[in-house]
Amino acid sequence: MKPTGVFYHESFSRRSYLTVGTRLRDFPQAFEPLKSFENFRLIESPRVSEDLVLQVHTPELLEGVRADTLCSTAWHSAGGVVKAVEMVYEGELRNAFAYIGAGGHHAGRSYFWGYCCFNDVVLATRNLRNRHGDVRVAVIDTDAHHGDGTRELVKGDGNFLHYCICSSSYESNDGLKVDVSYFTTPYHSAVEGFGERVSEFEPDILIWYFGHDTHVGDYGDIGLTVADYTRIARFLKGLAARCCDDRLVVVLGGGSVPEIARESTLAIIRELLKP
C-alpha cells in the first residue's frame, strides 16, 4: 500500500496567523503513536516558490504578506499543500494531510484576511496544471466560514468544483460553485451532497479544506465533534476510492483550541492510514 503523507513544519507549532496562542503546541510529539503504521510518512513542508505565488496573486499581495509578521509561516504552509497535492496526484502517496501555520481560503488575487495569506489550494491546483494540463479538481470546504478567496480565484474555472458548507446558500448556473448552509441542511446530508456533485463532475483529485473551528468550544462552534470529522473522513476516503484512484488531500484550515487540533487531526490521519 502506498504511504500516507503528513506534511508539517516546526514553525507551525509556534504562534502563527491561525492560532490564538499555539494550537499545534503538541506537535511533532503528537505524531509518535502514528509511527506504528508502516504507511505513515512524515514530510517536512517546503517553501512555496515566489514564481508560483505570482501566477495566482498580485505582486502587491506578495509584498503585503512579506511585510506581515503574522504571515511568517505562510511560505511553508502553502508549500506543504502544493507538495502534498503534487505527490498524491503523481502517485508517490496514496493520500495526504497537510498541516499549516497560516490559512488559505480567504486569500484572493489581490487581498488576504481572516488569518489567511496565500491561497494554498489554488496554488496547488496551478502547480498541478503547470505539470499535467487541465487537471479536474474538486474541493469541499468545511471550515466554519466561506472560502471567499478561493471562490474569487476559481469563479470561471470549468474544471474546478468548489463546494462550501458554510452559513450561506448559493449555486452557480453550471453547478460547479456551491454553498450549502449548515443552518438549513443537516451537516452530514450536506457532505453527502458533495458526493453527488463529484459523481457528475468526475474529478482527478479531491481536496478537503478542513477547519476544526466548527467543533464544540472552538471559535466557529456549530456543534461538530471529532466523531463527526472521522465520519466525514471515512466518507471522503471512500468517495476518492470510487472517483479518482484514492487521490485525497486534507488541508488544515481554521481552529484555535490545541486539544481539538490534536485530537481531530490525528483522528483524520488514522482514517487516511487505514487500508
Side-chain angles (χ1 to χ4, degrees), residues 86 114 120 201:
E86 177 185 309
D120 42 22
F201 180 64

Side-chain angles (χ1 to χ4, degrees), residues 93-140:
L93 301 171
R94 180 189 183 199
N95 50 39
F97 188 105
Y99 284 84
I100 52 88
H105 76 162
H106 293 314
R109 176 159 173 74
S110 60
Y111 65 88
F112 63 99
W113 72 283
Y115 313 130
C116 297
C117 303
F118 296 136
N119 197 298
D120 42 22
V121 167
V122 177
L123 287 166
T125 300
R126 180 62 60 90
N127 178 63
L128 272 194
R129 291 175 176 173
N130 288 345
R131 297 167 68 90
H132 299 286
D134 289 331
V135 176
R136 293 171 70 80
V137 177
V139 172
I140 180 170

